């Protein structure tokens, strides 16, 4: 069972994040409907040090909620305040995410 995937520092762009998010969301949705038949074990994703925009982070955040991810590393991705706001909108109802690493990004006190 795949529980951890590290895609850090692999030049993953918005297109790559969209593919990952699509698979995570589909698998997560199917697992929530029938967990015995379709178990979904992936809980920790590392996307650190990749050039992903606010839109890409929004897609990923929505998939994180659907797939019940517990740990996400997004350090060193040049996330701005706008990108963080987009993610926060998608993560507002998330009850499974325990750790989100946003260290070494372009966030301010806003």
């Amino acid at each position: 069972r795949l529980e951890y995937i590290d895609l850090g520092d692999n030049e993953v762009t918005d297109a790559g994040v969209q593919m990952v998010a699509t698979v995570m969301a589909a698998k997560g949705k199917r697992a929530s409907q029938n967990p015995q038949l379709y178990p979904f074990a992936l809980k920790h994703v590392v996307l650190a040090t990749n050039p992903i925009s606010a839109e890409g982070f929004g897609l990923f955040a929505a998939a994180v909620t659907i797939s019940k991810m517990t740990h996400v590393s997004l350090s060193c991705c040049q996330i701005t305040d706008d990108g963080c706001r987009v993610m926060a909108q998608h993560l507002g109802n998330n009850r499974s995410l325990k750790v989100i690493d946003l260290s070494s990004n372009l966030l301010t006190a806003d």
Side-chain angles (χ1 to χ4, degrees), residues 74 78-85 87 101-110:
L74 300 170
Q78 299 183 4
I79 299 172
T80 62
D81 292 339
D82 288 337
C84 198
R85 281 186 201 93
M87 287 191 317
D101 180 0
L102 295 172
S103 63
S104 299
N105 279 292
L106 305 174
L107 304 175
T108 65
D110 291 341

Side-chain angles (χ1 to χ4, degrees), residues 24 57-72 74 79 83-102:
M24 284 174 42
F57 287 118
L59 292 169
F60 183 70
V64 165
T65 298
I66 293 168
S67 63
K68 299 189 175 170
M69 197 73 39
T70 60
H71 292 75
V72 175
L74 300 170
I79 299 172
C84 198
R85 281 186 201 93
V86 170
M87 287 191 317
Q89 289 172 349
H90 289 283
L91 294 174
N93 293 324
N94 187 302
R95 300 289 178 252
S96 61
L97 191 61
K98 305 292 183 225
V99 177
I100 183 167
D101 180 0
L102 295 172

Side-chain angles (χ1 to χ4, degrees), residues 5-77:
I5 189 166
D6 186 344
L7 299 171
D9 200 15
N10 279 296
E11 296 298 318
V12 176
T13 62
D14 286 350
V17 169
Q18 184 174 9
M19 285 187 245
V20 170
T22 299
V23 170
M24 284 174 42
K27 292 280 194 179
K29 185 180 277 188
R30 198 161 57 167
S32 68
Q33 292 170 349
N34 194 340
Q36 300 300 327
L37 188 57
Y38 302 109
F40 187 67
L42 186 62
K43 298 295 178 199
H44 189 156
V45 174
V46 176
L47 281 170
T49 319
N50 283 299
I52 306 166
S53 73
E55 181 181 340
F57 287 118
L59 292 169
F60 183 70
V64 165
T65 298
I66 293 168
S67 63
K68 299 189 175 170
M69 197 73 39
T70 60
H71 292 75
V72 175
S73 177
L74 300 170
S75 64
C76 303
C77 288

